[in-house]
Amino acid sequence: MSSVTVRVPAKVNVQLAVGPLRDDGYHDLVNVFHAVSIYDEVEAKESEAVKISVTGDSADQVPLDDGNLAIQAARALAKHAGRSYGVDLIIRKAIPVAGGMAGGSADAAGALVACNELWGLGLPTEDLMEIAADLGSDVPFALLGGTAVGTGRGEQLTPLETSGTFHWVFAVADGGLSTAKVYAECDRLRHATGEQVAWPQTDDALLDALATGNAPALGAALTNDLQAAALMLRPSLARTLDVGRGHGALGAIVSGSGPTCAFLAADAEHARDLAVALTSTEVCRTATPAEGPTPGAHAI
Ligand code: ATP
């Protein structure tokens, strides 16, 4: 095989509960991941050396050196196989960069699946999941897709049963937010207010809404402990959320560390209307309807 192309979904966190800061600098999380139909494509082509190119939305903000998570993934896979392989990685981005939708992690998962096939390694998913967890907390979920609870740093995954399809709109902002800065702001706010930080727990009402496909109940149960920090760093997002709510969104939330905002719609038509309303009121750069859950990284 001389070329393999893999499609990988973005994620939204329908619940993100952030526990106390750990000694290792991470937080214990309860992170309910939900894969949605905004996809990056990662193509892996035969090459002597490791190379990368990136096209698509905000491609100029993506590193082209060893800082790129897809390159790190290819190198980690080659190391696991005990060989030095080359690959030409071509990434077509649709997931907003530094947007709180785990685009870099998606590309890492895509590179793992694509290189596993290109190099004929035939490694089972369990091996790829282990390599993925070492690359970053969000990478295993990009392999798995669907809907799942992540605990620990978010990387220990339990898949969740869901019913039906949920309809979303993602309002993409100009420029990104650094995940590390948003966590630091969350810690600062908690310290400043003397908040007692509870051990993170899954929300039974949210799990029930997912299991039964109840969109109004899911909308009411959406929570994100990073939202206050993201709003502090990007106050204009408050208006974006308000506009979505004002146009009947069943739920409105900052996606992960932001600045993308996620809106749950009643159905596909409502999602299209909501996207038009968000774009025409100029509270975001662009608004994209999407569905979830969708499968994880897979060859096309
Ligand atoms: P998360 O939701 O996982 O916290 P994010 O969606 O906010 O992440 P990413 O798009 O994953 O953010 O990018 C975060 C940073 O990672 C970027 O600013 C960029 O410097 C770096 N990066 C490394 N590899 C990639 C990649 N393949 N695509 C996008 N960004 C990448």
Side-chain angles (χ1 to χ4, degrees), residues 11 61-63 67-70 91 93 96-105 107 138 177 179 257-258:
K11 61 84 186 162
Q61 286 157 45
V62 177
N68 193 298
L69 279 168
I91 299 180
K93 288 211 73 78
V97 177
M101 299 192 78
S105 302
D107 298 346
D138 289 351
L177 272 178
T179 304
S257 54

Side-chain angles (χ1 to χ4, degrees), residues 2-6 42-46 87-90 111 114-115 118:
S2 61
S3 165
V4 179
T5 300
V6 171
V42 180
E43 183 180 355
K45 285 188 2 189
E46 272 181 4
V87 63
D88 185 4
L89 292 168
I90 299 151
C115 292
L118 181 77

Side-chain angles (χ1 to χ4, degrees), residues 6 42 52 83 144 167 184 200 219 274 290:
V6 171
V42 180
I52 193 157
R83 294 266 309 269
L144 185 71
H167 298 273
L274 206 46

Side-chain angles (χ1 to χ4, degrees), residues 118-152:
L118 181 77
W119 297 337
L121 301 176
L123 291 177
T125 307
E126 301 83 72
D127 287 27
L128 298 185
M129 289 293 263
E130 264 181 43
I131 302 168
D134 284 342
L135 289 165
S137 311
D138 289 351
V139 185
F141 178 72
L143 283 176
L144 185 71
T147 306
V149 183
T151 51

